[in-house]
Amino acid sequence: KQWYQRRVRGTNQEIREISGKRKSESSTSTGPKKKPLPNIFQGAQFYISSKVKESAVLERYIIAYGGEIVKDKTLAGKVVVEGETAGKGKRVSKEWISEKISGVK
């Protein structure tokens, strides 16, 4: 109980002494900052047909790399479809998206 009270009410120095860890050794440390993902799809609007397998995964990748998902294929510049017309947008494949992402260094 005394240890708990000291830890809660104590200074940062006391907490480090009690726990035996320095602040940098704490398990709550987030580590070094990671580089943000490049915006290779920035400004691009994609429509993904519901018939496309793994469409949710594709949407996540497109958004993560700066693209936008639209629900109307007539508004999209790039269209991923299977077994239907692409509308006015450029028809692209799941493989094309993967190649673009893989090509980023």
Side-chain angles (χ1 to χ4, degrees):
K1 188 173 180 179
Q2 182 182 7
W3 174 82
Y4 176 77
Q5 289 173 344
R6 278 188 69 196
R7 185 172 175 116
V8 172
R9 294 185 187 151
T11 65
N12 287 337
Q13 180 65 32
E14 288 174 331
I15 292 170
R16 282 193 296 269
E17 288 172 5
I18 293 168
S19 69
K21 293 182 180 180
R22 295 182 183 175
K23 196 170 188 176
S24 62
E25 296 173 350
S26 172
S27 61
T28 59
S29 175
T30 58
K33 290 188 177 184
K34 296 181 181 181
K35 284 187 349 183
L37 295 173
N39 290 325
I40 59 172
F41 297 133
Q42 185 170 6
Q45 294 180 320
F46 290 80
Y47 167 83
I48 302 175
S49 169
S50 60
K51 295 179 183 179
V52 173
K53 291 181 182 178
E54 300 176 351
S55 60
V57 173
L58 281 177
E59 286 184 14
R60 289 182 67 176
Y61 277 121
I62 290 167
I63 292 168
Y65 284 91
E68 181 182 349
I69 304 296
V70 294
K71 299 298 179 189
D72 182 357
K73 70 179 163 185
T74 62
L75 301 175
K78 298 185 182 357
V79 180
V80 183
V81 293
E82 287 183 8
E84 59 186 278
T85 61
K88 295 179 182 179
K90 177 183 177 184
R91 186 181 192 136
V92 297
S93 66
K94 296 185 294 186
E95 293 75 21
W96 179 85
I97 294 169
S98 295
E99 288 172 10
K100 289 291 185 188
I101 293 170
S102 296
V104 175
K105 303 230 181 215

